[in-house]
Amino acid sequence: MSDLLSRFAAIVGEKYAIRDPQDQQPYLVEMRDLYHGRTPLVLRPGSVAEVSAILKLANDSGTPIVPQGGNTGLVGGQVPHESNTEIVVSLKRLDRIREIDATSNTMTCEAGVVLASAQKAADEADRFFPLSLGAEGSCTIGGNLSSNAGGTGALAYGVARDLVVGLEVVLADGRVLNGLNKLKKDNTGYDLKNLFVGAEGTLGIITAAVLKMFPKLQSRASAFVGLKSPEDALRLLNLANARAGGSVTLCEIMPRVGLEFVLKHGSGVRNPLAGMHDWYVLIELATAADKPLRETLEYILGAAFEEGVVEDAAIADNLDQARSFKHLRETLAEIQKFEGGSIKHDVAVPVALVPELIRKGSAAAVKLIPGCRPVPFGHLGDGNIHFNITQPVGADKEQFLARWEEMNEVIHGLVADQHGSISAEHGIGQLKRHLLHDVKDPVAFALMQSLKKTLDPNNILNPGKVL
């Protein structure tokens, strides 16, 4: 084993082969501290050729490989198991933006480019890259694509998969699939890139991607709105879509208890509204056209007031205020930890059924664990709700978290009844691997297994994840 590890290390050079257990720690624990792994070696390749050589040696020797981007995933897909037999391959050094093509509205980024850097590069080219999520300062493009990240821009622009034009992927045997084209139209056979987007590194390692850019947004208007119910939140969304069409770029929902958590534990935050309401919506209009949107948003909110849909609203007067509104929503997931244990779900249902899911799910959760505090929040505009359940006040955290699987059955059962998904944007990883067989169409699941065997016959790529 020592000789084999030395051969792997020689590919990247000893400087980029991490053997010391202490130095390996940032690569072995994920941000929620749910998964802890062990590895004999962390490799940090600096080129596609090095990634190719690593996988060729791994395939020939039967050595399992765990690809890793920014290590911000929430389902353990990027963390090695505790067997101490898997080599972690960090893509962070592949961090070049190879090309910005403003005419084609594309940019070609390597896998290790941090999402915020890609956003900045697009902005400097007078363009806009819409993928946006809470971890954008540390997550990477490769990780975003491998997990098919969603985020707040999905309502208007789609998820990560919708923003990819072409991919460069290193296959399990070391071959490099060069699909970095910028074509909008290419009907020369199967669209192979979508096999790898969302595959969590189990079919190949994404090393670069051609991404879509859009005209820079010239006008924005956002509001923080208080309402009585999720049903009213959905009515507001429908009003906005009817009056503003494709200009609705953000529609996020959060319950009163969620805002209370943020106001209690957040730093430098305040309630934008005069009083408290049972539910809140953060809504944003944006367009690349040079036209004022504040008047449109005022009109929408005015109509909503007249129909009894909205109780109160604050429209942002400037960009800083708009960011403060967004901050209230974005910090909620992290803030929940100060209230004790939280059983989390990343689910999606048809948008029209979101209020029913919230109502039935909250009632079922409280029935299962009296005193627990449901905190369903998230992307109302695309039906993706983070249905988190915070422990009862004063309860034992470990005893509460020990009922994770019971709560899963309750919430996931409701999602199944509504023909939804148990993983909207976080992926499967280790956390939901045992659930996939039961929720996936049997034919689809069999095809997934066949693809895995075809592309990775020796099962070296992220084994024990997804399938």
Side-chain angles (χ1 to χ4, degrees):
M1 186 64 175
S2 178
D3 290 343
L4 180 60
L5 293 178
S6 295
R7 292 172 64 191
F8 276 111
I11 294 172
V12 300
E14 285 295 337
K15 180 180 178 180
Y16 300 110
I18 305 173
R19 300 173 186 263
D20 182 79
Q22 191 65 33
D23 294 338
Q24 291 177 352
Q25 283 308 301
Y27 303 89
L28 304 181
V29 181
E30 46 79 53
M31 60 189 300
R32 291 205 308 212
D33 202 35
L34 290 178
Y35 295 98
H36 300 252
R38 297 173 64 213
T39 182
L41 189 64
V42 175
L43 298 176
R44 301 182 66 234
S47 68
V48 178
E50 289 181 356
V51 177
S52 174
I54 289 169
L55 288 193
K56 186 178 188 310
L57 178 55
N59 195 55
D60 291 344
S61 61
T63 305
I65 297 293
V66 179
Q68 190 178 101
N71 194 17
T72 61
L74 298 176
V75 292
Q78 77 282 13
V79 179
H81 297 292
E82 294 184 349
S83 61
N84 202 35
T85 59
E86 300 171 319
I87 291 177
V88 174
V89 176
S90 170
L91 282 299
K92 282 188 174 182
R93 288 183 61 221
L94 273 69
D95 60 356
R96 290 188 306 121
I97 296 178
R98 296 182 186 175
E99 182 190 49
I100 298 281
D101 185 346
T103 302
S104 296
N105 279 317
T106 63
M107 63 176 168
T108 303
C109 296
E110 293 184 338
V113 172
V114 172
L115 175 55
S117 298
Q119 294 168 343
K120 182 181 178 182
D123 184 70
E124 290 173 349
D126 199 35
R127 293 294 184 268
F128 173 57
F129 182 59
L131 187 64
S132 178
L133 44 146
E136 60 193 30
S138 53
C139 64
T140 62
I141 293 298
N144 296 151
L145 300 182
S146 292
S147 60
N148 191 27
T152 56
L155 170 59
Y157 299 97
V159 295
R161 176 176 282 114
D162 301 306
L163 302 174
V164 179
V165 182
L167 283 184
E168 177 184 81
V169 183
V170 180
L171 302 179
D173 59 7
R175 289 179 298 163
V176 179
L177 173 64
N178 186 358
L180 291 177
N181 72 70
K182 297 183 285 185
L183 304 175
K184 284 190 174 182
K185 295 181 178 180
D186 181 6
N187 278 339
T188 54
Y190 304 134
D191 184 1
L192 297 176
K193 69 178 183 295
N194 277 323
L195 289 177
F196 304 99
V197 177
E200 301 183 47
T202 62
L203 301 180
I205 296 182
I206 295 171
T207 51
V210 180
L211 305 173
K212 295 178 185 177
M213 298 190 299
F214 296 83
K216 184 181 289 188
L217 299 176
Q218 301 296 327
S219 180
R220 294 176 185 262
S222 62
F224 194 77
V225 183
L227 324 93
K228 293 190 295 291
S229 68
E231 285 79 7
D232 283 339
L234 186 58
R235 293 185 187 104
L236 175 62
L237 173 61
N238 289 335
L239 275 171
N241 282 330
R243 307 292 166 87
S247 297
V248 183
T249 54
L250 186 74
C251 189
E252 302 285 305
I253 188 172
M254 61 189 292
R256 174 173 180 155
V257 65
L259 181 61
E260 289 173 342
F261 287 174
V262 175
L263 296 176
K264 179 180 177 181
H265 302 290
S267 175
V269 297
R270 68 178 186 85
N271 188 350
L273 306 180
M276 297 299 292
H277 302 267
D278 289 337
W279 288 89
Y280 298 90
V281 163
L282 171 63
I283 189 167
E284 178 188 81
L285 309 183
T287 179
D290 186 14
K291 65 178 183 179
L293 287 176
R294 184 184 177 97
E295 292 180 5
T296 303
L297 185 55
E298 288 175 346
Y299 181 81
I300 291 168
L301 293 174
F305 273 115
E306 290 181 6
E307 295 183 19
V309 171
V310 168
E311 294 181 330
D312 195 9
I315 298 178
D317 291 324
N318 51 55
L319 187 57
D320 286 340
Q321 194 171 28
R323 287 172 177 159
S324 71
F325 290 174
K326 196 172 182 180
H327 182 70
L328 293 172
R329 156 63 184 89
E330 288 183 337
T331 57
L332 176 53
E334 181 67 17
I335 284 289
Q336 286 180 84
K337 67 184 180 184
F338 296 109
E339 290 290 322
S342 178
I343 299 175
K344 302 179 185 296
H345 305 89
D346 165 45
V347 299
V349 297
V351 175
L353 298 179
V354 168
E356 180 182 337
L357 172 69
I358 290 176
R359 176 170 43 82
K360 289 184 176 180
S362 298
V366 173
K367 182 179 180 181
L368 178 68
I369 304 179
C372 73
R373 293 167 287 173
V375 191
F377 69 96
H379 317 298
L380 174 64
D382 56 43
N384 174 199
I385 298 298
H386 300 294
F387 210 117
N388 296 354
I389 317 292
T390 295
Q391 71 177 59
V393 175
D396 180 270
K397 179 179 177 179
E398 296 307 317
Q399 289 182 4
F400 174 74
L401 293 178
R403 305 190 69 180
W404 192 295
E405 294 298 330
E406 291 180 75
M407 190 65 77
N408 266 359
E409 290 183 14
V410 169
I411 301 302
H412 290 165
L414 292 171
V415 170
D417 290 343
Q418 295 181 332
H419 304 287
S421 170
I422 65 165
S423 180
E425 62 179 1
H426 292 165
I428 298 297
Q430 299 181 57
L431 183 65
K432 300 180 181 180
R433 175 176 175 256
H434 65 292
L435 301 173
L436 191 60
H437 179 271
D438 293 330
V439 301
K440 203 72 178 173
D441 172 78
V443 175
F445 190 80
L447 284 173
M448 290 171 64
Q449 291 177 311
S450 296
L451 284 168
K452 173 67 172 174
K453 290 176 182 177
T454 299
L455 292 173
D456 182 20
N458 295 323
N459 194 30
I460 65 160
L461 287 172
N462 224 3
K465 314 291 176 58
V466 183
L467 293 174

